Amino acid sequence: DAGITQSPRHKVTETGTPVTLRCHQTENHRYMYWYRQDPGHGLRLIHYSYGVKDTDKGEVSDGYSVSRSKTEDFLLTLESATSSQTSVYFCAIKPEGSTDTQYFGPGTRLTVL
Amino acid sequence: SQQGEEDPQALSIQEGENATMNCSYKTSINNLQWYRQNSGRGLVHLILIRSNEREKHSGRLRVTLDTSKKSSSLLITASRAADTASYFCATAGGSYIPTFGRGTSLIVHP
């Protein structure tokens, strides 16, 4: 599992509340990614990071922010959750020199009521 | 928008049969990868094929790449019930950001 954990694994929240998902890795990889997975859409990139405090937007970044103050942690925040953000969220890392191969965490299932 | 698109969306076969799924993409790539996802789990990398390669094998997996047609296929030979999963292709160009398709759902009946 490449030493990747995600927390929480499941969360139910209400519309308008802030939510933060955490991705933690144990191997100090530089590249980290947040995806969401929805039926009919596959995986879509939300944000990614290429180092501490270095982040960039992905395909579906609206409504999400990220922070990376330490190499091992990549946080995804929904400032004000909406029902459209109900999804399964996956974190991934890419080891340097691995030619784009990614390793995924176990996922967080988020339900926004 | 997604770069790779898998076909078929769903595939149902009997144990022992071969399973073939295809991936088409739109722009030039450096490499193409296949991942498997078991229900409720994260994606697991299966195999990577570079743009200058035409075929690659790994155990019961065979991947082909035709850059002129912008397509790839994944063949699983002698399938097993444990191969039941969703399979995704991911294409990568010059950035470190693979782009995933919507996946093929494979069911292998014992």
Side-chain angles (χ1 to χ4, degrees):
Chain A
D1 64 358
I4 305 167
T5 58
Q6 292 185 232
S7 58
R9 293 293 313 281
H10 302 271
K11 186 169 182 67
V12 179
T13 191
E14 294 191 349
T15 298
T17 60
V19 176
T20 295
L21 309 182
R22 179 183 184 233
C23 177
H24 178 79
Q25 56 149 329
T26 58
E27 299 181 7
N28 293 321
H29 296 299
R30 182 179 165 197
Y31 296 94
M32 299 185 75
Y33 307 78
W34 275 108
Y35 291 90
R36 61 177 289 174
Q37 185 175 34
D38 305 287
H41 290 278
L43 265 74
R44 292 182 291 176
L45 181 67
I46 306 171
H47 282 278
Y48 64 99
S49 171
Y50 40 92
V52 173
K53 296 184 180 176
D54 289 325
T55 65
D56 208 344
K57 297 179 180 179
E59 177 187 356
V60 290
S61 60
D62 287 349
Y64 301 94
S65 62
V66 289
S67 65
R68 192 161 178 206
S69 58
K70 299 185 292 184
T71 300
E72 58 266 35
D73 289 324
F74 192 29
L75 304 181
L76 176 71
T77 297
L78 292 65
E79 301 290 348
S80 178
T82 67
S83 58
S84 65
Q85 293 176 311
T86 292
S87 187
V88 181
Y89 292 85
F90 287 99
C91 173
I93 60 95
K94 188 193 82 68
E96 286 191 76
S98 78
T99 58
D100 305 313
T101 298
Q102 292 180 314
Y103 297 87
F104 284 81
T108 293
R109 183 173 294 276
L110 176 67
T111 302
V112 183
L113 301 176
Chain B
S1 61
Q2 264 113 353
Q3 164 78 304
E5 291 293 339
E6 294 88 347
D7 172 66
Q9 290 187 346
L11 183 59
S12 180
I13 60 174
Q14 295 294 128
E15 211 166 27
E17 295 179 341
N18 295 342
T20 300
M21 51 205 86
N22 304 294
C23 172
S24 59
Y25 58 92
K26 296 176 183 175
T27 62
S28 62
I29 59 172
N30 288 341
N31 62 68
L32 185 145
Q33 304 172 65
W34 286 92
Y35 288 79
R36 182 188 74 230
Q37 183 181 34
N38 292 92
S39 180
R41 309 289 292 272
L43 277 70
V44 174
H45 181 258
L46 294 176
I47 195 166
L48 178 148
I49 186 165
R50 300 177 193 276
S51 59
N52 61 353
E53 298 176 311
R54 291 297 168 257
E55 188 170 312
K56 204 161 182 181
H57 296 256
S58 177
R60 294 184 295 112
L61 305 181
R62 172 179 170 246
V63 170
T64 62
L65 179 63
D66 186 334
T67 53
S68 67
K69 294 181 179 179
K70 292 186 170 58
S71 68
S72 173
S73 67
L74 170 67
L75 168 67
I76 304 173
T77 60
S79 62
R80 307 166 180 167
D83 295 327
T84 293
S86 292
Y87 292 82
F88 295 85
C89 68
T91 54
S95 69
Y96 294 112
I97 309 173
T99 304
F100 290 82
R102 293 181 172 86
T104 291
S105 175
L106 172 66
I107 297 175
V108 181
H109 299 278

